[in-house]
Amino acid sequence: MSSPGDQRTVRPPADDAEIPAFWRALGLPGLIDVHTHFMPSNVLAKVWAYFDRFAETDGRPRWEIRYRHEEERRLRLLRGFGVRRFTAMLYPHRPGMAQWLNDWAADFAARTPDCLRTATFFPEPEAGAYVAAAIEDGARVFKAHIQVGAYDPRDPLLDPVWGLLAESRTPVVVHCGSGPEAGPHTGPAVFAEVLARHPRLIPIVAHLGMPEYAEFLDLADRHPGLRLDTTMTFTDFAEGMHPWPTELTPRLADLGDRVLLGTDFPNIPYSYAHQLAALTRLDLGDDWLRAVCHDNAARLFAR
């Protein structure tokens, strides 16, 4: 895998119109984004309202969502960027919500063949049954949002869920870092206990574990199945809140086959191109960019 100093020849995209030239220069067939959000319109409106309350007056930058469009336009944009596969990250914040979201996501995937069918869960007695059904019906990736859900991932009600995901080798994108706001059960120590109990689990830690970057890299060293996604990291916006420690960059090269492109589209306050440019300016080489932007996810979801 690439290391600092490997050749970088590709030019970072200056704007969204240059994204296809970016991945073509890398010799890729397109991009795979493992962290994009599609969900029922009423739920997405509440997510947008959450970000709208970020304001400079409370010490945080304004979070002005760049792609606040209706669903079909968002799909056209992603496809125009050259994103060949993407996800529908959605998540419950209360009991009785996950099954409804999974039903919506199944319908969305059926009418959106380039979307990896996504599902979710919440600690409730029914969780094991509906997760098993979702896997059986073709769910390719799950989402667990420990911050928003405000639940303990070690909850006994989730033990059968983690077990099913581990045994079926179904990846799960887990927001367990403490950014942008800490939750009662966020941070690496809590999720490390889940991995100790379910070592075959394939978690994709969202946002590289922001802001506990070093600790989640340590966790990846101990658990070879763990992946990390790049969502928001290295961008100017994230650097203003939770700066990436540059001394950790060589470790990204060492984990290059387990780092996946994620963006948080459409819920980002900058252009999609800026996320790609932020990855490019790490100077980890074209091979690393090829792996992160496409090949690692293609291999993970080849099954």
Side-chain angles (χ1 to χ4, degrees):
M1 189 48 63
S2 304
S3 60
D6 283 354
Q7 185 180 26
R8 191 193 85 182
T9 59
V10 68
R11 185 167 66 92
D15 54 40
D16 287 351
E18 293 188 359
I19 293 174
F22 168 79
W23 52 259
R24 288 190 183 106
L26 288 170
L28 293 174
L31 306 170
I32 300 177
D33 189 338
V34 302
H35 195 137
T36 62
H37 292 283
F38 289 89
M39 54 185 69
S41 57
N42 61 323
V43 178
L44 189 58
K46 292 179 180 178
V47 171
W48 287 347
Y50 166 79
F51 291 119
D52 285 344
R53 66 184 180 83
F54 276 63
E56 294 171 358
T57 53
D58 61 7
R60 298 177 298 186
R62 291 191 61 81
W63 197 310
E64 297 181 357
I65 295 168
R66 182 67 171 254
Y67 302 101
R68 195 189 296 250
H69 308 306
E70 50 84 22
E71 182 182 285
E72 189 54 42
R73 184 176 175 189
R74 283 180 274 128
L75 287 168
R76 288 198 305 269
L77 282 167
L78 268 188
R79 291 162 178 160
F81 300 159
V83 179
R84 304 305 184 204
R85 301 288 273 171
F86 53 91
T87 58
M89 295 284 106
L90 67 184
Y91 41 86
H93 58 270
R94 54 179 169 76
M97 187 177 179
Q99 181 63 70
W100 171 67
L101 289 173
N102 289 348
D103 290 343
W104 183 92
D107 177 72
F108 179 76
R111 58 188 167 85
T112 314
D114 40 352
C115 177
L116 293 163
R117 180 171 164 181
T118 310
T120 189
F121 51 84
F122 194 82
E124 53 193 340
E126 306 85 0
Y130 63 66
V131 165
I135 294 171
E136 179 68 22
D137 289 345
R140 306 290 305 282
V141 61
F142 279 72
K143 169 71 171 185
H145 206 315
I146 292 167
Q147 176 213 0
V148 170
Y151 58 80
D152 190 333
R154 301 164 298 186
D155 190 313
L157 289 169
L158 290 180
D159 209 42
V161 170
W162 299 123
L164 285 162
L165 295 173
E167 291 310 307
S168 65
R169 308 294 285 165
T170 304
V172 52
V173 175
V174 185
H175 188 133
C176 47
S178 300
E181 296 178 312
H185 306 291
T186 57
V190 174
F191 195 67
E193 294 187 32
V194 175
L195 282 174
R197 188 170 178 84
H198 301 281
R200 284 175 51 80
L201 196 66
I202 304 178
I204 304 171
V205 174
H207 306 275
L208 283 171
M210 181 189 302
E212 296 104 342
Y213 300 115
E215 293 87 344
F216 278 104
L217 288 173
D218 292 342
L219 195 60
D221 287 340
R222 300 196 299 272
H223 293 275
L226 187 149
R227 275 77 166 171
L228 306 106
D229 80 36
T230 65
T231 304
M232 298 196 78
T233 49
F234 321 114
T235 64
D236 295 345
F237 184 82
E239 287 294 288
M241 292 192 299
H242 302 298
W244 170 259
T246 55
E247 68 272 14
L248 297 179
T249 301
R251 297 183 65 183
L252 282 182
D254 295 338
L255 285 171
D257 60 344
R258 289 194 279 147
V259 180
L260 310 176
L261 174 65
T263 65
D264 242 350
F265 176 91
N267 306 333
I268 48 178
Y270 46 78
S271 71
Y272 196 99
H274 181 60
Q275 177 73 80
L276 301 174
L279 295 175
T280 306
R281 68 189 182 193
L282 291 172
D283 283 324
L284 289 175
D286 290 359
D287 288 347
W288 187 85
L289 286 171
R290 272 187 284 271
V292 170
C293 291
H294 180 273
D295 294 350
N296 292 342
R299 183 169 57 252
L300 179 62
F301 292 104
R303 302 188 310 278

